[in-house]
Amino acid sequence: MTDHIVKLFTPIALPDLPFAPNALEPVLIGEIIQIHHGKHHRKYVDEYNRIGEEIGSALHKKDYATVEKLTGKISFNAGGHNAHALYWENLAPHGNGGGVLPGHDSPLVKAIDHYFGGIPKFIEEFNKQAGDIQGSGWAWLAINPQTKALAILTTEKHDSVSKVGWVPLLTVDVWEHAYYLQYKNLKTDYFKAIWNVINWRTVEERFNKVAL
Ligand code: MN3
């Protein structure tokens, strides 16, 4: 009976990048990826772990005020970790899958044709909505798990589309740290270029899990 341990919190680790930091050049320079992954993403992971320990301890002590206070902070860092993990996984080097569209008979492409009138129109609309984000946020292609409808959604800070019941298929980081070292104030150029390194295979796998 003495070994009965209730584990209140399990820390997470920063996931490895699925490519070398300079592998997305010239679309995104290695320095951006190194700082973005090694410093920004790492900080969300570290903060998630630090606050998670605090919440675990507060839950154990029935310290409701502290739990309530820390909930927003853990949500911000959980969202930061989750969104970045999804972002890295839906990028790939040009020449190694990046920017390669699925074939015309792909159910994903058919759905994009249906909802947006084709890939070029989808990209145009995605970039427009990403450009309309005021301040920091994320642009998403998402699927509604009930209706199977596709939509372009944008969120603030690190909120994900999961928060409103949608499943993320593709996400683009629209925080300045994602592009500023290279693109400065020309974020439209970042949006245009990123399609050369989008890993459509990942997007297709995410789509197939929900839609088929
Ligand atoms: Mn970021």
Side-chain angles (χ1 to χ4, degrees):
M1 284 301 289
T2 53
D3 295 345
H4 185 72
I5 295 168
V6 178
K7 206 164 186 201
L8 290 164
F9 176 73
T10 306
I12 56 171
L14 178 69
D16 289 335
L17 283 171
F19 40 76
N22 63 356
L24 302 184
E25 292 182 355
V27 172
L28 285 166
I29 55 173
E31 192 184 4
I32 285 183
I33 301 297
Q34 257 165 353
I35 294 171
H36 197 174
H37 176 258
K39 297 202 183 290
H40 290 273
H41 189 173
R42 184 184 301 281
K43 180 146 190 265
Y44 303 127
V45 168
D46 289 349
E47 284 293 281
Y48 174 88
N49 288 337
R50 186 182 67 75
I51 298 159
E53 287 291 345
E54 278 185 46
I55 290 184
S57 157
L59 285 167
H60 186 66
K61 289 186 275 190
K62 300 180 186 173
D63 178 355
Y64 312 120
T66 300
V67 171
E68 192 179 2
K69 193 179 79 180
L70 294 175
T71 302
K73 286 188 185 176
I74 196 89
S75 173
F76 176 81
N77 289 287
H81 166 59
N82 184 38
H84 284 92
L86 290 165
Y87 178 60
W88 305 131
E89 285 163 13
N90 67 219
L91 297 177
H94 199 66
N96 197 7
V100 179
L101 292 168
H104 284 292
D105 53 350
S106 150
L108 169 65
V109 170
K110 285 181 182 163
I112 288 176
D113 287 347
H114 177 73
Y115 285 100
F116 306 104
I119 300 264
K121 281 189 180 164
F122 158 70
I123 290 176
E124 191 182 322
E125 180 59 23
F126 189 101
N127 289 359
K128 185 189 169 301
Q129 292 201 29
D132 285 344
I133 294 173
Q134 296 176 333
S136 299
W138 293 77
W140 309 78
L141 170 65
I143 183 166
N144 182 306
Q146 274 84 45
T147 64
K148 317 292 185 195
L150 296 187
I152 296 162
L153 302 172
T154 59
T155 56
E156 292 183 347
K157 293 186 245 177
H158 289 316
D159 286 354
S160 84
V161 294
S162 314
K163 251 184 157 175
V164 287
W166 288 65
V167 177
L169 301 180
L170 164 67
T171 192
V172 172
D173 193 336
V174 188
W175 285 53
E176 281 191 346
H177 67 226
Y179 61 85
Y180 203 84
L181 269 179
Q182 185 176 354
Y183 292 92
K184 306 295 188 291
N185 60 320
L186 302 175
K187 65 178 174 183
T188 308
D189 289 351
Y190 161 61
F191 300 144
K192 276 186 198 154
I194 196 128
W195 298 98
N196 291 309
V197 291
I198 290 296
N199 186 346
W200 283 96
R201 185 165 287 181
T202 300
V203 183
E204 204 171 24
E205 281 167 11
R206 289 172 184 164
F207 173 83
N208 289 347
K209 263 189 217 164
V210 179
L212 302 187

